[in-house]
């Protein structure tokens, strides 16, 4: 089985096919207006950087860095960012309006697949950035808290991982 | 449906504005590895665990992990 990733347009009426590939220098050069400049030294040091792009025009939608953790038997989502056009702060700087929904969902699905490929049954762990995102991950992705001392530590275990990728899965022959 | 759409738009905005995930520290990684080892020790599979089992694993992990840190 393979993933046929997609995102939604802003009113959830159109499914937009996407692809995921290894991020390139050209991708990083497009992040100068993003929250994080991916050409920075810290970003350069991050492993396994992938880019989510529209299938039709190759427009960059999001970037993610992840790492396979053999001690934890899981994939760690290190950093994930969606493109500036989805960033309300940057709208005030004259960039286009919000265009897509589901960028993080598609990138998380790719991380689940990386975990499956590594033999970890889709298990992921990561740290939510805000309380609202923490609730979103728990409700929508089936993430589970790992600690009461640090409630932002979350994991997506096997069953939730399988559910997360379900809507993207297709037979390899149909791609 | 429109409530759901509004919610997703707000989440999308939150994630795009603040970032979706925070970088993990080495302590976070060590904690996760210890969580996994506690699950193995008690033969508990987190995705199939009952709430009681999951809370048990979480509490044992926290107790052991932070005690070990305090004693280090």
């Amino acid at each position: 089985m393979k993933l046929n990733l997609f995102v939604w347009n802003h009113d959830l009426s159109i499914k937009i096919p996407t692809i995921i590939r290894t991020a390139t220098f050209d991708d990083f050069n497009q992040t100068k207006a993003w929250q994080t400049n991916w050409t920075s030294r810290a970003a350069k040091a991050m492993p396994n950087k992938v880019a989510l792009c529209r299938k039709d025009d190759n427009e960059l939608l999001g970037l993610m860095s992840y790492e396979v953790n053999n001690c934890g038997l899981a994939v760690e989502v290190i950093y994930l960012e969606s493109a500036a056009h989805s960033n309300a702060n940057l709208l005030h700087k004259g960039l286009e309006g919000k265009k897509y929904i589901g960028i993080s969902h598609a990138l998380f699905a790719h991380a689940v697949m990386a975990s499956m490929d590594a033999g970890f049954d889709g298990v992921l762990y990561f740290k939510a950035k805000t309380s609202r995102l923490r609730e979103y991950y728990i409700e929508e992705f089936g993430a589970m808290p790992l600690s009461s001392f640090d409630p932002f530590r979350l994991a997506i275990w096997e069953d939730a991982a399988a559910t997360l990728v379900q809507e993207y899965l297709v037979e390899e022959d149909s791609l | 449906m429109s409530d759901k759409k509004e919610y997703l738009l707000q989440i999308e905005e939150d994630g795009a504005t603040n970032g979706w995930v925070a970088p993990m520290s080495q302590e976070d990684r060590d904690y996760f590895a210890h969580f996994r080892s506690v699950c193995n020790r008690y033969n508990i599979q987190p995705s199939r665990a009952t709430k009681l089992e999951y809370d048990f694993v979480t509490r044992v992990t926290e107790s052991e992990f932070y005690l070990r840190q305090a004693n280090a």
Side-chain angles (χ1 to χ4, degrees), chain A residues 36-97:
Chain A
T36 305
N37 184 347
W38 288 66
T39 58
S40 68
R41 189 184 298 176
K44 275 182 186 165
M46 291 192 289
N48 299 319
K49 292 184 280 278
V50 292
L52 181 77
C53 306
R54 279 182 70 131
K55 209 172 196 171
D56 52 2
D57 60 6
N58 212 29
E59 179 189 1
L60 179 64
L61 304 179
L63 289 167
M64 176 178 71
S65 166
Y66 67 91
E67 188 158 42
V68 175
N69 180 339
N70 291 311
C71 294
L73 304 176
V75 161
E76 175 189 339
V77 180
I78 293 175
Y79 202 67
L80 193 160
E81 194 169 5
S82 38
H85 46 58
S86 290
N87 186 326
N89 277 351
L90 296 167
L91 297 183
H92 303 302
K93 295 180 185 170
L95 294 176
E96 336 174 41

Short mmCIF file of all heavy atoms in Angstrom, two decimals, chain A residues 36-97:
data_model
loop_
_atom_site.label_atom_id
_atom_site.label_comp_id
_atom_site.label_asym_id
_atom_site.label_seq_id
_atom_site.Cartn_x
_atom_site.Cartn_y
_atom_site.Cartn_z
N THR A 36 9.93 30.15 10.30
CA THR A 36 11.30 29.64 10.39
C THR A 36 11.96 29.73 9.02
O THR A 36 11.37 29.30 8.04
CB THR A 36 11.30 28.15 10.81
OG1 THR A 36 10.56 28.05 12.02
CG2 THR A 36 12.71 27.63 11.01
N ASN A 37 13.14 30.30 9.00
CA ASN A 37 13.90 30.31 7.76
C ASN A 37 14.68 29.00 7.69
O ASN A 37 15.60 28.77 8.47
CB ASN A 37 14.84 31.51 7.75
CG ASN A 37 15.61 31.63 6.45
OD1 ASN A 37 15.61 30.70 5.64
ND2 ASN A 37 16.24 32.76 6.25
N TRP A 38 14.28 28.15 6.76
CA TRP A 38 14.87 26.81 6.69
C TRP A 38 16.27 26.82 6.09
O TRP A 38 16.88 25.75 5.92
CB TRP A 38 13.94 25.85 5.92
CG TRP A 38 12.72 25.48 6.71
CD1 TRP A 38 11.71 26.32 7.08
CD2 TRP A 38 12.39 24.19 7.25
NE1 TRP A 38 10.77 25.63 7.81
CE2 TRP A 38 11.15 24.33 7.91
CE3 TRP A 38 13.00 22.94 7.21
CZ2 TRP A 38 10.52 23.26 8.55
CZ3 TRP A 38 12.37 21.87 7.85
CH2 TRP A 38 11.15 22.03 8.52
N THR A 39 16.77 28.01 5.75
CA THR A 39 18.18 28.07 5.31
C THR A 39 19.09 28.36 6.51
O THR A 39 20.31 28.43 6.35
CB THR A 39 18.39 29.17 4.24
OG1 THR A 39 17.99 30.42 4.79
CG2 THR A 39 17.61 28.88 2.99
N SER A 40 18.49 28.53 7.69
CA SER A 40 19.30 28.82 8.88
C SER A 40 20.14 27.59 9.26
O SER A 40 19.83 26.47 8.85
CB SER A 40 18.40 29.19 10.06
OG SER A 40 17.66 28.05 10.46
N ARG A 41 21.16 27.86 10.09
CA ARG A 41 22.06 26.76 10.47
C ARG A 41 21.30 25.67 11.24
O ARG A 41 21.50 24.48 11.02
CB ARG A 41 23.21 27.31 11.32
CG ARG A 41 24.29 26.28 11.56
CD ARG A 41 25.36 26.79 12.49
NE ARG A 41 26.06 27.96 11.94
CZ ARG A 41 27.00 28.63 12.59
NH1 ARG A 41 27.34 28.28 13.81
NH2 ARG A 41 27.61 29.66 12.04
N ALA A 42 20.40 26.10 12.15
CA ALA A 42 19.64 25.13 12.96
C ALA A 42 18.76 24.26 12.07
O ALA A 42 18.67 23.04 12.26
CB ALA A 42 18.79 25.87 13.98
N ALA A 43 18.13 24.90 11.10
CA ALA A 43 17.26 24.13 10.21
C ALA A 43 18.07 23.19 9.32
O ALA A 43 17.65 22.06 9.06
CB ALA A 43 16.43 25.08 9.35
N LYS A 44 19.23 23.68 8.89
CA LYS A 44 20.09 22.84 8.04
C LYS A 44 20.51 21.57 8.77
O LYS A 44 20.71 20.52 8.16
CB LYS A 44 21.34 23.62 7.62
CG LYS A 44 21.14 24.50 6.40
CD LYS A 44 22.43 25.18 6.04
CE LYS A 44 22.22 26.17 4.92
NZ LYS A 44 23.35 27.08 4.77
N ALA A 45 20.65 21.68 10.10
CA ALA A 45 21.13 20.54 10.88
C ALA A 45 20.04 19.48 11.09
O ALA A 45 20.33 18.37 11.54
CB ALA A 45 21.64 21.02 12.24
N MET A 46 18.80 19.82 10.79
CA MET A 46 17.71 18.86 11.03
C MET A 46 17.75 17.73 10.00
O MET A 46 17.99 17.97 8.82
CB MET A 46 16.35 19.57 10.97
CG MET A 46 16.13 20.52 12.15
SD MET A 46 14.45 21.13 12.31
CE MET A 46 14.30 22.23 10.93
N PRO A 47 17.50 16.49 10.45
CA PRO A 47 17.57 15.35 9.53
C PRO A 47 16.28 15.16 8.74
O PRO A 47 15.25 15.77 9.06
CB PRO A 47 17.76 14.17 10.50
CG PRO A 47 17.04 14.60 11.72
CD PRO A 47 17.17 16.09 11.82
N ASN A 48 16.33 14.31 7.74
CA ASN A 48 15.14 13.86 6.98
C ASN A 48 14.12 14.96 6.72
O ASN A 48 12.98 14.90 7.19
CB ASN A 48 14.45 12.71 7.73
CG ASN A 48 15.36 11.53 7.89
OD1 ASN A 48 16.10 11.16 6.99
ND2 ASN A 48 15.34 10.95 9.08
N LYS A 49 14.52 15.94 5.96
CA LYS A 49 13.58 17.04 5.66
C LYS A 49 12.81 16.69 4.38
O LYS A 49 13.41 16.37 3.35
CB LYS A 49 14.35 18.35 5.49
CG LYS A 49 14.97 18.84 6.80
CD LYS A 49 15.65 20.16 6.65
CE LYS A 49 17.02 20.06 6.04
NZ LYS A 49 18.09 19.70 6.93
N VAL A 50 11.49 16.76 4.49
CA VAL A 50 10.66 16.46 3.32
C VAL A 50 9.74 17.63 3.04
O VAL A 50 9.40 18.41 3.93
CB VAL A 50 9.82 15.17 3.52
CG1 VAL A 50 10.71 13.94 3.55
CG2 VAL A 50 8.96 15.25 4.77
N ALA A 51 9.35 17.75 1.79
CA ALA A 51 8.48 18.85 1.35
C ALA A 51 7.16 18.27 0.84
O ALA A 51 7.16 17.29 0.10
CB ALA A 51 9.17 19.64 0.25
N LEU A 52 6.07 18.89 1.25
CA LEU A 52 4.75 18.54 0.71
C LEU A 52 4.41 19.59 -0.35
O LEU A 52 4.43 20.79 -0.07
CB LEU A 52 3.70 18.55 1.82
CG LEU A 52 2.29 18.17 1.39
CD1 LEU A 52 2.17 16.65 1.21
CD2 LEU A 52 1.25 18.64 2.42
N CYS A 53 4.10 19.13 -1.56
CA CYS A 53 3.85 20.05 -2.68
C CYS A 53 2.57 19.66 -3.41
O CYS A 53 2.19 18.48 -3.40
CB CYS A 53 4.97 19.99 -3.70
SG CYS A 53 6.58 20.26 -3.01
N ARG A 54 1.95 20.63 -4.04
CA ARG A 54 0.82 20.33 -4.93
C ARG A 54 1.33 19.47 -6.08
O ARG A 54 2.42 19.70 -6.60
CB ARG A 54 0.23 21.62 -5.49
CG ARG A 54 -0.70 22.33 -4.55
CD ARG A 54 -1.27 23.56 -5.22
NE ARG A 54 -2.20 23.19 -6.28
CZ ARG A 54 -3.42 23.70 -6.43
NH1 ARG A 54 -3.84 24.63 -5.58
NH2 ARG A 54 -4.20 23.33 -7.41
N LYS A 55 0.50 18.52 -6.49
CA LYS A 55 0.91 17.63 -7.58
C LYS A 55 0.90 18.36 -8.91
O LYS A 55 1.75 18.12 -9.77
CB LYS A 55 -0.06 16.45 -7.64
CG LYS A 55 0.52 15.17 -8.15
CD LYS A 55 -0.50 14.05 -7.96
CE LYS A 55 0.12 12.69 -8.08
NZ LYS A 55 -0.81 11.63 -7.70
N ASP A 56 -0.05 19.30 -9.08
CA ASP A 56 -0.19 19.93 -10.41
C ASP A 56 0.87 20.99 -10.70
O ASP A 56 1.48 20.98 -11.76
CB ASP A 56 -1.61 20.51 -10.57
CG ASP A 56 -2.01 21.42 -9.42
OD1 ASP A 56 -1.19 21.63 -8.50
OD2 ASP A 56 -3.14 21.93 -9.44
N ASP A 57 1.11 21.89 -9.76
CA ASP A 57 2.06 22.97 -10.07
C ASP A 57 3.29 22.98 -9.16
O ASP A 57 4.08 23.93 -9.19
CB ASP A 57 1.35 24.32 -10.02
CG ASP A 57 0.75 24.60 -8.65
OD1 ASP A 57 0.98 23.80 -7.72
OD2 ASP A 57 0.04 25.62 -8.50
N ASN A 58 3.42 21.96 -8.32
CA ASN A 58 4.59 21.82 -7.46
C ASN A 58 4.71 22.93 -6.41
O ASN A 58 5.79 23.15 -5.86
CB ASN A 58 5.86 21.77 -8.31
CG ASN A 58 6.93 20.90 -7.67
OD1 ASN A 58 6.62 19.96 -6.94
ND2 ASN A 58 8.18 21.23 -7.91
N GLU A 59 3.61 23.63 -6.11
CA GLU A 59 3.65 24.68 -5.09
C GLU A 59 3.98 24.07 -3.73
O GLU A 59 3.39 23.07 -3.33
CB GLU A 59 2.27 25.37 -5.03
CG GLU A 59 2.20 26.45 -3.97
CD GLU A 59 0.78 26.97 -3.78
OE1 GLU A 59 -0.15 26.46 -4.44
OE2 GLU A 59 0.60 27.86 -2.94
N LEU A 60 4.93 24.69 -3.03
CA LEU A 60 5.34 24.18 -1.73
C LEU A 60 4.28 24.50 -0.68
O LEU A 60 3.89 25.66 -0.50
CB LEU A 60 6.68 24.83 -1.33
CG LEU A 60 7.25 24.43 0.02
CD1 LEU A 60 7.61 22.94 0.06
CD2 LEU A 60 8.49 25.27 0.34
N LEU A 61 3.81 23.45 0.04
CA LEU A 61 2.75 23.63 1.04
C LEU A 61 3.27 23.50 2.47
O LEU A 61 2.75 24.13 3.38
CB LEU A 61 1.64 22.60 0.83
CG LEU A 61 0.99 22.56 -0.55
CD1 LEU A 61 -0.07 21.47 -0.60
CD2 LEU A 61 0.37 23.90 -0.88
N GLY A 62 4.27 22.66 2.66
CA GLY A 62 4.77 22.48 4.02
C GLY A 62 6.08 21.72 4.03
O GLY A 62 6.43 21.05 3.06
N LEU A 63 6.79 21.86 5.15
CA LEU A 63 8.06 21.15 5.33
C LEU A 63 8.04 20.42 6.67
O LEU A 63 7.43 20.90 7.63
CB LEU A 63 9.23 22.14 5.32
CG LEU A 63 9.59 22.79 3.98
CD1 LEU A 63 10.55 23.96 4.21
CD2 LEU A 63 10.22 21.78 3.03
N MET A 64 8.70 19.30 6.71
CA MET A 64 8.77 18.53 7.96
C MET A 64 10.15 17.89 8.09
O MET A 64 10.76 17.51 7.09
CB MET A 64 7.70 17.43 7.96
CG MET A 64 7.76 16.52 9.18
SD MET A 64 6.46 15.26 9.20
CE MET A 64 7.01 14.18 7.89
N SER A 65 10.61 17.81 9.32
CA SER A 65 11.82 17.05 9.62
C SER A 65 11.45 15.97 10.62
O SER A 65 10.70 16.23 11.57
CB SER A 65 12.88 17.98 10.21
OG SER A 65 13.92 17.21 10.78
N TYR A 66 11.94 14.76 10.41
CA TYR A 66 11.65 13.67 11.33
C TYR A 66 12.88 12.78 11.48
O TYR A 66 13.80 12.86 10.67
CB TYR A 66 10.45 12.84 10.84
CG TYR A 66 10.72 12.07 9.57
CD1 TYR A 66 11.21 10.76 9.61
CD2 TYR A 66 10.50 12.65 8.33
CE1 TYR A 66 11.47 10.05 8.44
CE2 TYR A 66 10.76 11.95 7.16
CZ TYR A 66 11.24 10.65 7.22
OH TYR A 66 11.50 9.97 6.05
N GLU A 67 12.86 11.98 12.52
CA GLU A 67 13.99 11.08 12.73
C GLU A 67 13.50 9.73 13.25
O GLU A 67 12.59 9.68 14.08
CB GLU A 67 14.96 11.68 13.75
CG GLU A 67 16.25 10.89 13.87
CD GLU A 67 17.39 11.72 14.44
OE1 GLU A 67 17.12 12.47 15.40
OE2 GLU A 67 18.51 11.61 13.92
N VAL A 68 14.09 8.68 12.72
CA VAL A 68 13.77 7.34 13.19
C VAL A 68 14.57 7.10 14.48
O VAL A 68 15.79 7.23 14.49
CB VAL A 68 14.15 6.28 12.13
CG1 VAL A 68 13.95 4.88 12.66
CG2 VAL A 68 13.35 6.50 10.86
N ASN A 69 13.85 6.81 15.56
CA ASN A 69 14.50 6.61 16.86
C ASN A 69 14.47 5.12 17.20
O ASN A 69 13.43 4.58 17.58
CB ASN A 69 13.75 7.44 17.92
CG ASN A 69 14.36 7.28 19.30
OD1 ASN A 69 15.05 6.32 19.59
ND2 ASN A 69 14.07 8.24 20.17
N ASN A 70 15.63 4.50 17.08
CA ASN A 70 15.69 3.05 17.32
C ASN A 70 15.56 2.69 18.79
O ASN A 70 15.15 1.58 19.12
CB ASN A 70 16.99 2.48 16.74
CG ASN A 70 16.96 2.53 15.22
OD1 ASN A 70 16.00 2.10 14.59
ND2 ASN A 70 18.00 3.09 14.62
N CYS A 71 15.92 3.63 19.69
CA CYS A 71 15.77 3.35 21.13
C CYS A 71 14.29 3.39 21.52
O CYS A 71 13.82 2.55 22.28
CB CYS A 71 16.52 4.39 21.96
SG CYS A 71 18.27 4.31 21.73
N GLY A 72 13.58 4.37 20.98
CA GLY A 72 12.17 4.51 21.32
C GLY A 72 11.25 3.69 20.42
O GLY A 72 10.05 3.66 20.63
N LEU A 73 11.85 3.02 19.42
CA LEU A 73 11.07 2.23 18.46
C LEU A 73 9.93 3.06 17.87
O LEU A 73 8.76 2.64 17.87
CB LEU A 73 10.51 0.96 19.12
CG LEU A 73 11.53 0.05 19.79
CD1 LEU A 73 10.83 -1.10 20.49
CD2 LEU A 73 12.54 -0.47 18.78
N ALA A 74 10.26 4.25 17.40
CA ALA A 74 9.24 5.16 16.89
C ALA A 74 9.91 6.21 16.02
O ALA A 74 11.14 6.32 15.99
CB ALA A 74 8.52 5.84 18.05
N VAL A 75 9.10 6.99 15.35
CA VAL A 75 9.60 8.13 14.59
C VAL A 75 9.28 9.40 15.37
O VAL A 75 8.16 9.58 15.86
CB VAL A 75 8.98 8.17 13.18
CG1 VAL A 75 9.12 9.55 12.55
CG2 VAL A 75 9.65 7.12 12.28
N GLU A 76 10.29 10.25 15.50
CA GLU A 76 10.10 11.53 16.18
C GLU A 76 9.83 12.62 15.14
O GLU A 76 10.62 12.77 14.20
CB GLU A 76 11.36 11.88 16.99
CG GLU A 76 11.28 13.26 17.62
CD GLU A 76 12.59 13.71 18.24
OE1 GLU A 76 13.46 12.85 18.54
OE2 GLU A 76 12.77 14.93 18.41
N VAL A 77 8.74 13.33 15.30
CA VAL A 77 8.47 14.47 14.43
C VAL A 77 9.22 15.65 15.04
O VAL A 77 8.86 16.14 16.11
CB VAL A 77 6.97 14.77 14.31
CG1 VAL A 77 6.73 15.97 13.41
CG2 VAL A 77 6.22 13.56 13.78
N ILE A 78 10.27 16.08 14.37
CA ILE A 78 11.15 17.10 14.95
C ILE A 78 10.60 18.50 14.72
O ILE A 78 10.53 19.32 15.62
CB ILE A 78 12.57 16.97 14.36
CG1 ILE A 78 13.18 15.64 14.82
CG2 ILE A 78 13.45 18.14 14.77
CD1 ILE A 78 14.51 15.32 14.21
N TYR A 79 10.21 18.77 13.50
CA TYR A 79 9.68 20.10 13.20
C TYR A 79 8.76 20.02 11.99
O TYR A 79 8.97 19.19 11.10
CB TYR A 79 10.82 21.09 12.93
CG TYR A 79 10.38 22.52 13.14
CD1 TYR A 79 10.06 22.98 14.40
CD2 TYR A 79 10.25 23.40 12.07
CE1 TYR A 79 9.62 24.28 14.60
CE2 TYR A 79 9.81 24.70 12.26
CZ TYR A 79 9.50 25.13 13.54
OH TYR A 79 9.06 26.41 13.74
N LEU A 80 7.74 20.84 12.01
CA LEU A 80 6.76 20.80 10.92
C LEU A 80 6.22 22.22 10.75
O LEU A 80 5.83 22.86 11.72
CB LEU A 80 5.63 19.83 11.32
CG LEU A 80 4.64 19.39 10.25
CD1 LEU A 80 3.94 18.11 10.71
CD2 LEU A 80 3.61 20.43 9.93
N GLU A 81 6.23 22.68 9.54
CA GLU A 81 5.74 24.04 9.30
C GLU A 81 4.93 24.07 8.01
O GLU A 81 5.27 23.40 7.04
CB GLU A 81 6.92 25.01 9.21
CG GLU A 81 6.49 26.45 9.31
CD GLU A 81 7.66 27.41 9.48
OE1 GLU A 81 8.83 26.97 9.42
OE2 GLU A 81 7.41 28.60 9.64
N SER A 82 3.85 24.84 8.03
CA SER A 82 3.08 25.00 6.80
C SER A 82 3.44 26.32 6.14
O SER A 82 3.95 27.24 6.78
CB SER A 82 1.58 24.88 7.05
OG SER A 82 1.21 25.46 8.26
N ALA A 83 3.17 26.41 4.85
CA ALA A 83 3.64 27.54 4.05
C ALA A 83 3.03 28.86 4.51
O ALA A 83 1.98 28.88 5.16
CB ALA A 83 3.30 27.30 2.58
N ALA A 84 3.70 29.93 4.14
CA ALA A 84 3.32 31.25 4.63
C ALA A 84 1.90 31.65 4.26
O ALA A 84 1.27 32.41 4.97
CB ALA A 84 4.30 32.27 4.08
N HIS A 85 1.36 31.10 3.17
CA HIS A 85 0.01 31.52 2.77
C HIS A 85 -1.06 31.02 3.73
O HIS A 85 -2.18 31.47 3.68
CB HIS A 85 -0.32 31.09 1.35
CG HIS A 85 0.03 29.69 1.02
ND1 HIS A 85 -0.47 28.62 1.71
CD2 HIS A 85 0.86 29.19 0.08
CE1 HIS A 85 0.02 27.51 1.19
NE2 HIS A 85 0.84 27.82 0.22
N SER A 86 -0.69 30.09 4.63
CA SER A 86 -1.65 29.65 5.63
C SER A 86 -1.45 30.37 6.96
O SER A 86 -2.09 30.09 7.94
CB SER A 86 -1.50 28.15 5.87
OG SER A 86 -1.96 27.44 4.74
N ASN A 87 -0.51 31.31 6.97
CA ASN A 87 -0.15 31.98 8.21
C ASN A 87 -0.83 33.34 8.31
O ASN A 87 -0.54 34.26 7.55
CB ASN A 87 1.37 32.15 8.24
CG ASN A 87 1.85 32.71 9.56
OD1 ASN A 87 1.16 33.52 10.17
ND2 ASN A 87 3.01 32.28 9.97
N ALA A 88 -1.76 33.46 9.27
CA ALA A 88 -2.55 34.68 9.39
C ALA A 88 -1.68 35.91 9.66
O ALA A 88 -1.97 37.00 9.20
CB ALA A 88 -3.59 34.52 10.49
N ASN A 89 -0.61 35.73 10.44
CA ASN A 89 0.27 36.87 10.72
C ASN A 89 0.83 37.46 9.44
O ASN A 89 0.96 38.67 9.29
CB ASN A 89 1.49 36.42 11.55
CG ASN A 89 1.16 36.35 13.01
OD1 ASN A 89 0.08 36.78 13.42
ND2 ASN A 89 2.05 35.79 13.79
N LEU A 90 1.15 36.56 8.52
CA LEU A 90 1.79 37.00 7.29
C LEU A 90 0.79 37.57 6.29
O LEU A 90 1.18 38.24 5.35
CB LEU A 90 2.59 35.86 6.67
CG LEU A 90 3.75 35.41 7.56
CD1 LEU A 90 4.31 34.08 7.08
CD2 LEU A 90 4.85 36.44 7.58
N LEU A 91 -0.51 37.33 6.55
CA LEU A 91 -1.51 37.92 5.66
C LEU A 91 -1.42 39.43 5.72
O LEU A 91 -1.63 40.13 4.74
CB LEU A 91 -2.93 37.51 6.09
CG LEU A 91 -3.26 36.03 6.01
CD1 LEU A 91 -4.71 35.82 6.39
CD2 LEU A 91 -3.01 35.50 4.64
N HIS A 92 -1.10 39.93 6.92
CA HIS A 92 -1.01 41.38 7.09
C HIS A 92 0.17 41.95 6.32
O HIS A 92 0.26 43.13 6.10
CB HIS A 92 -0.88 41.71 8.58
CG HIS A 92 -2.03 41.16 9.38
ND1 HIS A 92 -3.33 41.49 9.12
CD2 HIS A 92 -2.05 40.27 10.39
CE1 HIS A 92 -4.11 40.84 9.96
NE2 HIS A 92 -3.37 40.08 10.73
N LYS A 93 1.07 41.08 5.94
CA LYS A 93 2.23 41.56 5.18
C LYS A 93 1.96 41.48 3.68
O LYS A 93 2.87 41.58 2.88
CB LYS A 93 3.46 40.72 5.53
CG LYS A 93 3.89 40.90 6.98
CD LYS A 93 5.11 40.05 7.28
CE LYS A 93 5.46 40.14 8.76
NZ LYS A 93 6.48 39.17 9.13
N GLY A 94 0.71 41.24 3.30
CA GLY A 94 0.34 41.31 1.89
C GLY A 94 0.38 39.99 1.15
O GLY A 94 0.22 39.97 -0.06
N LEU A 95 0.62 38.89 1.88
CA LEU A 95 0.62 37.61 1.18
C LEU A 95 -0.82 37.16 0.96
O LEU A 95 -1.75 37.66 1.55
CB LEU A 95 1.41 36.58 1.97
CG LEU A 95 2.90 36.88 2.07
CD1 LEU A 95 3.60 35.86 2.94
CD2 LEU A 95 3.56 36.91 0.70
N GLU A 96 -1.00 36.15 0.11
CA GLU A 96 -2.35 35.70 -0.22
C GLU A 96 -3.06 35.11 1.00
O GLU A 96 -2.44 34.77 1.98
CB GLU A 96 -2.33 34.60 -1.27
CG GLU A 96 -1.15 34.55 -2.13
CD GLU A 96 -1.17 33.33 -3.03
OE1 GLU A 96 -2.23 32.98 -3.55
OE2 GLU A 96 -0.11 32.76 -3.21
N GLY A 97 -4.38 34.99 0.87
CA GLY A 97 -5.18 34.47 1.97
C GLY A 97 -4.95 33.00 2.20
O GLY A 97 -4.29 32.33 1.44
#
